[in-house]
Coordinates of all heavy atoms in Angstrom, one line a residue:
M1 N 51.7 12.8 -38.5 CA 50.8 13.7 -37.9 C 51.4 15.1 -38.0 O 52.5 15.4 -37.4 CB 50.4 13.4 -36.5 CG 49.4 14.2 -36.0 SD 49.0 14.0 -34.2 CE 48.7 12.3 -33.9
N2 N 50.7 16.1 -38.6 CA 51.3 17.4 -38.7 C 51.0 18.2 -37.4 O 50.2 17.8 -36.6 CB 50.8 18.1 -40.0 CG 49.3 18.3 -40.0 OD1 48.7 18.2 -39.0 ND2 48.8 18.6 -41.2
V3 N 51.6 19.4 -37.4 CA 51.5 20.2 -36.2 C 50.0 20.7 -35.9 O 49.6 20.8 -34.8 CB 52.5 21.4 -36.3 CG1 52.3 22.4 -35.2 CG2 53.9 20.9 -36.4
Q4 N 49.4 21.1 -37.0 CA 48.0 21.6 -36.9 C 47.1 20.5 -36.3 O 46.3 20.8 -35.4 CB 47.5 22.1 -38.2 CG 46.2 22.7 -38.2 CD 45.7 23.3 -39.5 OE1 46.3 22.9 -40.6 NE2 44.7 24.1 -39.6
K5 N 47.2 19.3 -36.8 CA 46.4 18.2 -36.3 C 46.7 17.9 -34.8 O 45.8 17.7 -34.0 CB 46.5 17.0 -37.2 CG 45.5 15.9 -36.9 CD 45.7 14.8 -38.0 CE 44.5 13.8 -37.8 NZ 44.6 12.8 -38.8
K6 N 47.9 18.0 -34.5 CA 48.4 17.8 -33.1 C 47.8 18.8 -32.2 O 47.3 18.5 -31.1 CB 49.9 17.7 -33.1 CG 50.5 17.3 -31.8 CD 52.0 17.2 -31.9 CE 52.7 16.9 -30.6 NZ 54.1 16.9 -30.8
N7 N 47.8 20.0 -32.6 CA 47.3 21.2 -31.8 C 45.8 21.0 -31.6 O 45.3 21.3 -30.5 CB 47.6 22.5 -32.4 CG 49.0 22.9 -32.3 OD1 49.8 22.3 -31.4 ND2 49.5 23.8 -33.1
R8 N 45.1 20.5 -32.6 CA 43.6 20.3 -32.5 C 43.3 19.2 -31.5 O 42.4 19.3 -30.7 CB 43.0 20.0 -33.9 CG 42.7 21.2 -34.7 CD 41.8 20.8 -35.8 NE 42.5 21.2 -37.0 CZ 42.3 20.6 -38.3 NH1 41.6 19.6 -38.4 NH2 43.0 21.1 -39.3
L9 N 44.1 18.2 -31.5 CA 43.9 17.1 -30.6 C 44.2 17.5 -29.1 O 43.4 17.2 -28.2 CB 44.8 15.9 -30.9 CG 44.3 15.0 -32.0 CD1 45.4 14.0 -32.4 CD2 43.0 14.4 -31.7
I10 N 45.2 18.3 -29.0 CA 45.5 18.8 -27.6 C 44.4 19.7 -27.1 O 44.0 19.7 -26.0 CB 46.9 19.6 -27.7 CG1 48.0 18.5 -27.8 CG2 47.1 20.3 -26.3 CD1 49.3 19.1 -28.0
A11 N 43.9 20.6 -28.0 CA 42.8 21.6 -27.7 C 41.6 20.8 -27.3 O 40.8 21.1 -26.4 CB 42.6 22.5 -28.8
A12 N 41.2 19.8 -28.1 CA 40.0 18.9 -27.9 C 40.2 18.2 -26.5 O 39.2 18.2 -25.7 CB 39.8 17.9 -29.0
G13 N 41.4 17.7 -26.2 CA 41.6 17.1 -24.9 C 41.4 18.1 -23.7 O 40.8 17.7 -22.7
I14 N 42.0 19.2 -23.9 CA 41.8 20.3 -22.8 C 40.4 20.7 -22.7 O 39.9 20.8 -21.5 CB 42.7 21.5 -23.2 CG1 44.2 21.1 -23.1 CG2 42.4 22.7 -22.3 CD1 45.1 22.2 -23.5
V15 N 39.6 20.9 -23.7 CA 38.2 21.3 -23.6 C 37.4 20.1 -23.0 O 36.6 20.4 -22.1 CB 37.6 21.6 -25.1 CG1 36.1 21.7 -25.0 CG2 38.2 22.9 -25.6
T16 N 37.7 18.9 -23.4 CA 37.0 17.8 -22.7 C 37.3 17.7 -21.3 O 36.4 17.5 -20.5 CB 37.4 16.5 -23.4 OG1 37.1 16.6 -24.8 CG2 36.7 15.3 -22.9
T17 N 38.6 17.9 -20.9 CA 38.9 17.8 -19.5 C 38.3 18.9 -18.7 O 37.7 18.7 -17.6 CB 40.4 17.9 -19.4 OG1 41.1 16.9 -20.1 CG2 40.9 17.8 -17.9
V18 N 38.2 20.2 -19.2 CA 37.6 21.3 -18.6 C 36.1 21.0 -18.4 O 35.6 21.3 -17.3 CB 37.9 22.6 -19.3 CG1 37.0 23.7 -18.8 CG2 39.4 23.0 -19.2
L19 N 35.4 20.6 -19.4 CA 34.0 20.3 -19.3 C 33.7 19.2 -18.3 O 32.8 19.3 -17.5 CB 33.5 19.9 -20.7 CG 33.3 21.0 -21.7 CD1 32.9 20.3 -23.1 CD2 32.3 22.0 -21.2
L20 N 34.6 18.2 -18.2 CA 34.4 17.1 -17.2 C 34.6 17.7 -15.8 O 33.8 17.4 -14.9 CB 35.4 16.0 -17.5 CG 35.4 14.9 -16.5 CD1 34.1 14.2 -16.6 CD2 36.5 13.9 -16.7
L21 N 35.6 18.6 -15.6 CA 35.8 19.2 -14.4 C 34.6 20.1 -13.9 O 34.2 20.1 -12.8 CB 37.1 20.0 -14.3 CG 38.4 19.1 -14.3 CD1 39.6 20.0 -14.5 CD2 38.4 18.3 -13.1
V22 N 34.1 20.8 -14.9 CA 32.9 21.7 -14.6 C 31.7 20.9 -14.2 O 31.0 21.2 -13.2 CB 32.6 22.6 -15.8 CG1 31.2 23.2 -15.7 CG2 33.7 23.6 -16.0
V23 N 31.5 19.8 -14.9 CA 30.3 18.9 -14.5 C 30.6 18.3 -13.1 O 29.6 18.3 -12.3 CB 30.1 17.8 -15.6 CG1 29.2 16.7 -15.1 CG2 29.7 18.4 -16.9
L24 N 31.8 17.9 -12.9 CA 32.1 17.2 -11.5 C 31.9 18.3 -10.4 O 31.4 17.9 -9.4 CB 33.4 16.6 -11.5 CG 33.6 15.4 -12.4 CD1 35.1 14.9 -12.4 CD2 32.7 14.2 -11.8
V25 N 32.4 19.4 -10.6 CA 32.3 20.5 -9.6 C 30.8 20.9 -9.4 O 30.4 21.0 -8.2 CB 33.1 21.7 -10.0 CG1 32.7 22.9 -9.1 CG2 34.5 21.4 -9.9
A26 N 30.0 20.9 -10.4 CA 28.6 21.1 -10.3 C 27.9 20.0 -9.5 O 27.0 20.4 -8.6 CB 27.9 21.3 -11.7
V27 N 28.2 18.8 -9.8 CA 27.7 17.7 -9.1 C 28.0 17.8 -7.6 O 27.2 17.5 -6.7 CB 28.1 16.4 -9.7 CG1 27.7 15.2 -8.8 CG2 27.4 16.2 -11.0
M28 N 29.3 18.1 -7.3 CA 29.8 18.2 -5.9 C 29.0 19.3 -5.2 O 28.6 19.1 -4.0 CB 31.3 18.5 -5.9 CG 32.1 17.3 -6.2 SD 33.9 17.5 -6.2 CE 34.2 18.6 -5.0
I29 N 28.9 20.5 -5.8 CA 28.1 21.6 -5.2 C 26.7 21.1 -4.9 O 26.2 21.4 -3.8 CB 28.2 22.8 -6.1 CG1 29.6 23.4 -6.1 CG2 27.2 23.9 -5.6 CD1 29.9 24.5 -7.1
Y30 N 26.1 20.5 -5.9 CA 24.7 20.0 -5.7 C 24.6 19.1 -4.4 O 23.7 19.1 -3.6 CB 24.2 19.4 -6.9 CG 22.8 18.7 -6.7 CD1 21.7 19.5 -6.7 CD2 22.7 17.3 -6.5 CE1 20.4 18.9 -6.5 CE2 21.5 16.7 -6.3 CZ 20.3 17.5 -6.3 OH 19.1 16.9 -6.1
Q31 N 25.5 18.1 -4.4 CA 25.6 17.2 -3.3 C 25.8 17.9 -1.9 O 25.2 17.6 -0.9 CB 26.7 16.1 -3.5 CG 26.4 15.2 -4.6 CD 25.2 14.3 -4.4 OE1 24.9 13.9 -3.3 NE2 24.4 14.2 -5.4
I32 N 26.6 18.9 -1.9 CA 26.9 19.6 -0.6 C 25.6 20.3 -0.2 O 25.2 20.3 1.0 CB 28.0 20.6 -0.8 CG1 29.4 19.8 -0.9 CG2 28.2 21.5 0.4 CD1 30.6 20.6 -1.3
V33 N 25.0 21.0 -1.1 CA 23.7 21.7 -0.8 C 22.6 20.7 -0.3 O 21.9 20.9 0.7 CB 23.2 22.5 -2.0 CG1 21.8 23.0 -1.8 CG2 24.1 23.6 -2.3
E34 N 22.6 19.5 -1.0 CA 21.6 18.5 -0.6 C 21.8 18.0 0.8 O 20.9 17.8 1.6 CB 21.6 17.4 -1.6 CG 20.5 16.4 -1.5 CD 19.1 17.0 -1.9 OE1 19.1 18.0 -2.6 OE2 18.1 16.4 -1.4
I35 N 23.1 17.7 1.1 CA 23.5 17.3 2.4 C 23.1 18.3 3.5 O 22.6 18.0 4.6 CB 25.0 16.9 2.5 CG1 25.3 15.6 1.7 CG2 25.5 16.8 3.9 CD1 26.8 15.4 1.5
C36 N 23.4 19.6 3.2 CA 23.0 20.6 4.2 C 21.6 20.7 4.4 O 21.1 20.8 5.5 CB 23.5 22.0 3.7 SG 25.3 22.2 3.7
V37 N 20.8 20.6 3.3 CA 19.3 20.6 3.5 C 18.8 19.4 4.3 O 17.9 19.6 5.1 CB 18.7 20.6 2.1 CG1 17.1 20.4 2.1 CG2 18.9 22.0 1.4
L38 N 19.4 18.2 4.0 CA 19.0 17.0 4.7 C 19.4 17.1 6.2 O 18.6 16.7 7.1 CB 19.5 15.8 4.1 CG 18.9 15.4 2.7 CD1 19.6 14.2 2.1 CD2 17.4 15.1 2.8
N39 N 20.5 17.6 6.5 CA 20.9 17.8 7.9 C 20.0 18.7 8.6 O 19.7 18.5 9.8 CB 22.4 18.3 8.0 CG 23.4 17.2 7.8 OD1 23.1 16.0 7.9 ND2 24.6 17.6 7.3
E40 N 19.6 19.8 8.0 CA 18.6 20.8 8.6 C 17.3 20.0 8.8 O 16.7 20.2 9.9 CB 18.5 22.0 7.7 CG 17.6 23.1 8.4 CD 18.3 23.7 9.6 OE1 19.5 23.7 9.6 OE2 17.6 24.2 10.5
R41 N 16.8 19.3 7.9 CA 15.6 18.6 8.0 C 15.6 17.5 9.1 O 14.7 17.4 9.9 CB 15.2 17.9 6.7 CG 13.9 17.2 6.7 CD 13.6 16.7 5.3 NE 12.3 16.0 5.4 CZ 11.9 15.1 4.5 NH1 12.7 14.8 3.5 NH2 10.7 14.5 4.6
R42 N 16.8 16.9 9.2 CA 17.0 15.9 10.2 C 17.0 16.5 11.6 O 16.3 16.0 12.6 CB 18.4 15.2 10.0 CG 18.7 14.2 11.0 CD 20.1 13.6 10.7 NE 20.6 12.7 11.6 CZ 21.7 12.2 11.7 NH1 22.7 12.6 10.8 NH2 22.1 11.4 12.6
K43 N 17.6 17.7 11.7 CA 17.6 18.4 13.0 C 16.1 18.8 13.4 O 15.7 18.7 14.5 CB 18.4 19.7 12.9 CG 18.6 20.5 14.2 CD 19.5 21.6 14.0 CE 18.7 22.8 14.0 NZ 19.5 24.1 13.8
D44 N 15.4 19.3 12.4 CA 14.0 19.7 12.7 C 13.2 18.5 13.1 O 12.3 18.5 14.1 CB 13.3 20.3 11.4 CG 13.9 21.7 11.1 OD1 14.5 22.3 12.0 OD2 13.8 22.2 10.0
L45 N 13.4 17.3 12.5 CA 12.6 16.1 12.9 C 13.0 15.6 14.3 O 12.1 15.2 15.0 CB 12.9 15.0 11.8 CG 12.2 15.2 10.4 CD1 12.6 14.1 9.5 CD2 10.7 15.3 10.6
K46 N 14.3 15.8 14.6 CA 14.7 15.4 16.0 C 14.0 16.3 17.0 O 13.6 15.7 18.0 CB 16.2 15.4 16.1 CG 16.9 14.3 15.5 CD 18.4 14.3 15.8 CE 19.1 13.1 15.3 NZ 20.5 13.1 15.6
E47 N 13.9 17.5 16.7 CA 13.3 18.5 17.6 C 11.7 18.1 17.8 O 11.2 18.1 18.9 CB 13.4 19.9 17.2 CG 14.8 20.5 17.3 CD 15.0 21.8 16.7 OE1 14.0 22.4 16.2 OE2 16.1 22.4 16.8
K48 N 11.2 17.8 16.6 CA 9.7 17.4 16.7 C 9.5 16.1 17.5 O 8.6 16.0 18.3 CB 9.2 17.2 15.3 CG 8.9 18.5 14.6 CD 8.3 18.2 13.2 CE 8.0 19.5 12.5 NZ 7.3 19.3 11.2
I49 N 10.5 15.2 17.3 CA 10.3 13.9 18.1 C 10.5 14.2 19.6 O 9.7 13.7 20.4 CB 11.4 13.0 17.6 CG1 11.1 12.4 16.2 CG2 11.6 11.8 18.6 CD1 12.2 11.6 15.6
E50 N 11.4 15.0 20.0 CA 11.6 15.4 21.4 C 10.3 16.1 21.9 O 9.9 15.8 23.1 CB 12.8 16.3 21.5 CG 14.2 15.6 21.3 CD 15.3 16.6 21.4 OE1 15.1 17.8 21.6 OE2 16.4 16.1 21.2
D51 N 9.7 17.0 21.1 CA 8.5 17.6 21.6 C 7.3 16.6 21.8 O 6.6 16.6 22.7 CB 8.1 18.7 20.5 CG 8.9 19.9 20.5 OD1 9.7 20.1 21.5 OD2 8.9 20.6 19.5
Y52 N 7.2 15.6 20.8 CA 6.2 14.7 21.0 C 6.4 13.7 22.1 O 5.5 13.4 22.9 CB 6.1 13.8 19.7 CG 5.5 14.6 18.5 CD1 6.0 14.4 17.2 CD2 4.4 15.5 18.6 CE1 5.5 15.1 16.2 CE2 3.9 16.1 17.6 CZ 4.4 15.9 16.4 OH 3.9 16.7 15.3
E53 N 7.7 13.4 22.4 CA 8.0 12.5 23.5 C 7.7 13.3 24.8 O 7.1 12.7 25.8 CB 9.4 12.1 23.5 CG 9.8 11.0 22.4 CD 11.2 10.7 22.3 OE1 12.1 11.5 22.9 OE2 11.6 9.7 21.7
E54 N 7.9 14.6 24.9 CA 7.6 15.4 26.0 C 6.1 15.4 26.2 O 5.5 15.3 27.3 CB 8.1 16.8 25.9 CG 7.9 17.7 27.1 CD 8.6 19.0 26.9 OE1 9.7 19.1 26.4 OE2 7.9 20.0 27.2
Q55 N 5.3 15.6 25.1 CA 3.9 15.6 25.3 C 3.3 14.3 25.7 O 2.4 14.2 26.5 CB 3.3 16.0 23.9 CG 3.4 17.4 23.5 CD 2.9 17.7 22.1 OE1 2.3 16.9 21.4 NE2 3.1 18.9 21.6
I56 N 3.9 13.2 25.2 CA 3.5 11.9 25.6 C 3.7 11.7 27.2 O 2.9 11.2 27.9 CB 4.2 10.8 24.8 CG1 3.7 10.7 23.4 CG2 4.1 9.4 25.5 CD1 4.6 9.9 22.5
Q57 N 4.9 12.1 27.6 CA 5.2 12.0 29.0 C 4.2 12.9 29.9 O 3.7 12.4 30.9 CB 6.7 12.5 29.3 CG 7.1 12.3 30.8 CD 7.0 10.8 31.2 OE1 7.4 9.9 30.4 NE2 6.6 10.5 32.4
E58 N 3.9 14.0 29.5 CA 3.0 14.9 30.2 C 1.6 14.3 30.2 O 0.9 14.3 31.3 CB 2.9 16.3 29.6 CG 4.1 17.1 29.8 CD 4.1 18.4 29.0 OE1 3.1 18.7 28.3 OE2 5.1 19.2 29.1
T59 N 1.2 13.7 29.1 CA -0.1 13.0 29.0 C -0.2 11.8 29.9 O -1.1 11.5 30.6 CB -0.5 12.6 27.6 OG1 -0.4 13.8 26.8 CG2 -1.8 12.0 27.5
E60 N 0.9 11.1 30.0 CA 1.0 9.9 30.8 C 1.0 10.3 32.3 O 0.3 9.6 33.1 CB 2.2 9.0 30.6 CG 2.2 8.3 29.2 CD 3.5 7.6 28.9 OE1 4.5 7.8 29.6 OE2 3.5 6.7 28.0
D61 N 1.6 11.4 32.6 CA 1.6 11.9 34.0 C 0.1 12.3 34.3 O -0.3 12.0 35.5 CB 2.5 13.1 34.1 CG 4.0 12.7 34.1 OD1 4.3 11.5 34.2 OD2 4.8 13.6 33.9
L62 N -0.6 12.9 33.4 CA -2.0 13.4 33.7 C -2.9 12.1 33.9 O -3.8 12.1 34.7 CB -2.6 14.2 32.6 CG -2.1 15.7 32.6 CD1 -2.6 16.4 31.4 CD2 -2.6 16.4 33.8
I63 N -2.7 11.1 33.0 CA -3.4 9.9 33.2 C -3.2 9.3 34.5 O -4.2 8.8 35.2 CB -3.1 8.9 32.0 CG1 -3.6 9.4 30.7 CG2 -3.6 7.5 32.3 CD1 -3.1 8.7 29.5
D64 N -1.9 9.2 34.9 CA -1.6 8.6 36.3 C -2.2 9.4 37.3 O -2.7 8.9 38.3 CB -0.1 8.6 36.5 CG 0.5 7.5 35.6 OD1 -0.1 6.6 35.1 OD2 1.8 7.6 35.4
Y65 N -2.2 10.8 37.2 CA -2.8 11.6 38.3 C -4.3 11.4 38.4 O -4.8 11.3 39.5 CB -2.5 13.1 37.9 CG -3.1 14.1 38.9 CD1 -2.6 14.2 40.1 CD2 -4.2 14.8 38.5 CE1 -3.1 15.1 41.0 CE2 -4.8 15.7 39.4 CZ -4.3 15.9 40.6 OH -4.9 16.8 41.5
Y66 N -5.0 11.3 37.3 CA -6.5 11.2 37.3 C -6.9 9.7 37.5 O -8.1 9.5 37.7 CB -7.1 11.7 36.0 CG -7.1 13.3 36.0 CD1 -6.4 14.0 35.1 CD2 -7.8 14.0 37.0 CE1 -6.4 15.3 35.1 CE2 -7.8 15.3 37.1 CZ -7.1 16.0 36.1 OH -7.1 17.4 36.1
T67 N -6.0 8.8 37.3 CA -6.3 7.3 37.5 C -6.3 7.0 39.0 O -7.1 6.2 39.5 CB -5.4 6.4 36.8 OG1 -5.5 6.8 35.4 CG2 -5.8 5.0 36.9
Y68 N -5.3 7.6 39.7 CA -5.1 7.2 41.1 C -5.2 8.4 42.0 O -4.8 9.6 41.6 CB -3.7 6.5 41.3 CG -3.5 5.4 40.4 CD1 -2.6 5.5 39.3 CD2 -4.1 4.2 40.6 CE1 -2.4 4.5 38.4 CE2 -3.9 3.1 39.7 CZ -3.1 3.3 38.6 OH -2.9 2.2 37.8
G69 N -5.7 8.2 43.2 CA -5.5 9.2 44.3 C -6.3 10.4 44.2 O -7.5 10.4 43.8
D70 N -5.7 11.6 44.4 CA -6.4 12.8 44.5 C -7.0 13.3 43.3 O -8.1 13.9 43.3 CB -5.3 14.0 45.0 CG -4.8 13.7 46.4 OD1 -5.6 13.1 47.2 OD2 -3.7 14.2 46.7
G71 N -6.4 13.1 42.2 CA -7.0 13.6 40.9 C -8.3 12.9 40.7 O -9.3 13.5 40.2
L72 N -8.4 11.6 40.9 CA -9.6 10.8 40.7 C -10.7 11.3 41.6 O -11.8 11.5 41.3 CB -9.4 9.3 40.8 CG -10.6 8.4 40.6 CD1 -11.1 8.6 39.2 CD2 -10.2 7.0 40.9
Y73 N -10.3 11.5 42.9 CA -11.2 12.0 43.9 C -11.8 13.4 43.5 O -13.0 13.6 43.7 CB -10.5 12.1 45.2 CG -11.4 12.5 46.4 CD1 -12.4 11.6 46.9 CD2 -11.3 13.7 47.0 CE1 -13.3 12.0 47.9 CE2 -12.1 14.1 48.0 CZ -13.1 13.3 48.5 OH -13.9 13.6 49.5
K74 N -10.9 14.3 43.1 CA -11.3 15.6 42.7 C -12.3 15.6 41.5 O -13.3 16.3 41.5 CB -10.2 16.5 42.3 CG -9.4 16.9 43.5 CD -8.1 17.8 43.1 CE -7.3 18.1 44.3 NZ -6.1 18.9 44.0
L75 N -12.1 14.7 40.5 CA -13.0 14.6 39.4 C -14.4 14.0 39.8 O -15.4 14.4 39.4 CB -12.4 13.6 38.4 CG -11.4 14.1 37.4 CD1 -10.9 13.1 36.5 CD2 -11.9 15.3 36.6
I76 N -14.3 13.0 40.8 CA -15.6 12.5 41.3 C -16.4 13.6 42.0 O -17.6 13.7 41.8 CB -15.3 11.3 42.3 CG1 -14.8 10.1 41.5 CG2 -16.5 10.9 43.0 CD1 -14.2 9.0 42.3
I77 N -15.8 14.4 42.8 CA -16.5 15.5 43.4 C -16.9 16.5 42.4 O -18.1 17.1 42.5 CB -15.6 16.1 44.5 CG1 -15.4 15.1 45.7 CG2 -16.2 17.4 45.0 CD1 -14.4 15.5 46.8
E78 N -16.1 16.9 41.5 CA -16.4 17.9 40.5 C -17.7 17.5 39.7 O -18.5 18.3 39.4 CB -15.2 18.1 39.6 CG -15.4 19.1 38.5 CD -14.2 19.3 37.6 OE1 -13.1 19.1 38.1 OE2 -14.4 19.7 36.4
Y79 N -17.8 16.2 39.3 CA -18.9 15.8 38.5 C -20.1 15.4 39.4 O -21.1 14.9 38.9 CB -18.5 14.7 37.6 CG -17.7 15.3 36.4 CD1 -16.3 15.1 36.4 CD2 -18.3 16.0 35.4 CE1 -15.6 15.6 35.3 CE2 -17.6 16.5 34.3 CZ -16.2 16.3 34.3 OH -15.4 16.8 33.3
G80 N -20.0 15.5 40.7 CA -21.1 15.3 41.6 C -21.5 13.8 41.7 O -22.7 13.5 42.0
I81 N -20.5 12.9 41.5 CA -20.8 11.5 41.7 C -21.0 11.1 43.1 O -22.0 10.4 43.4 CB -19.7 10.7 41.0 CG1 -19.7 10.9 39.5 CG2 -19.9 9.2 41.3 CD1 -18.5 10.3 38.8
I82 N -20.2 11.7 44.0 CA -20.4 11.6 45.4 C -20.3 13.0 46.0 O -19.7 13.9 45.4 CB -19.4 10.6 46.1 CG1 -18.0 11.1 45.9 CG2 -19.6 9.3 45.6 CD1 -17.0 10.4 46.7
D83 N -20.9 13.1 47.2 CA -20.9 14.4 47.9 C -19.8 14.5 48.9 O -19.4 13.7 49.6 CB -22.2 14.7 48.5 CG -23.3 14.9 47.4 OD1 -22.9 15.5 46.4 OD2 -24.4 14.5 47.6

């Protein structure tokens, strides 16, 4: 093997290695961005779940209020069912 052929093989190996590293770095950057986006979406969904749970609790409290006691009595009077 002569020197020129040896130099071409070394250059081809270096170019292949650099291209592989560039592709791997690009994939890593994409994955990092995707993870950040998904974490933000996860945080937003958790906040929405907390809001919905709070609304459910408030609604259950209103149902309990109007089902028993004073709330039911006030509704009966308000709609004129009894005087």
Side-chain angles (χ1 to χ4, degrees):
M1 186 186 311
N2 63 15
V3 175
Q4 189 178 10
K5 193 171 186 179
K6 187 177 180 182
N7 286 342
R8 277 194 236 152
L9 283 174
I10 291 172
I14 290 172
V15 168
T16 303
T17 304
V18 169
L19 287 175
L20 179 65
L21 287 175
V22 167
V23 168
L24 290 175
V25 167
V27 169
M28 284 176 40
I29 290 171
Y30 174 78
Q31 290 296 323
I32 290 171
V33 169
E34 190 70 22
I35 288 170
C36 292
V37 168
L38 289 175
N39 281 340
E40 187 67 27
R41 185 173 176 201
R42 180 179 175 190
K43 187 178 107 182
D44 291 342
L45 289 174
K46 281 186 176 182
E47 289 175 1
K48 284 183 179 181
I49 288 171
E50 289 174 1
D51 290 342
Y52 290 138
E53 287 175 347
E54 184 177 316
Q55 288 177 2
I56 288 170
Q57 184 61 42
E58 289 174 1
T59 304
E60 287 175 349
D61 290 345
L62 280 174
I63 289 171
D64 288 343
Y65 176 74
Y66 286 117
T67 303
Y68 307 106
D70 293 336
L72 182 60
Y73 183 71
K74 287 179 183 178
L75 281 177
I76 290 171
I77 291 175
E78 182 180 330
Y79 286 104
I81 295 172
I82 61 171
D83 292 325

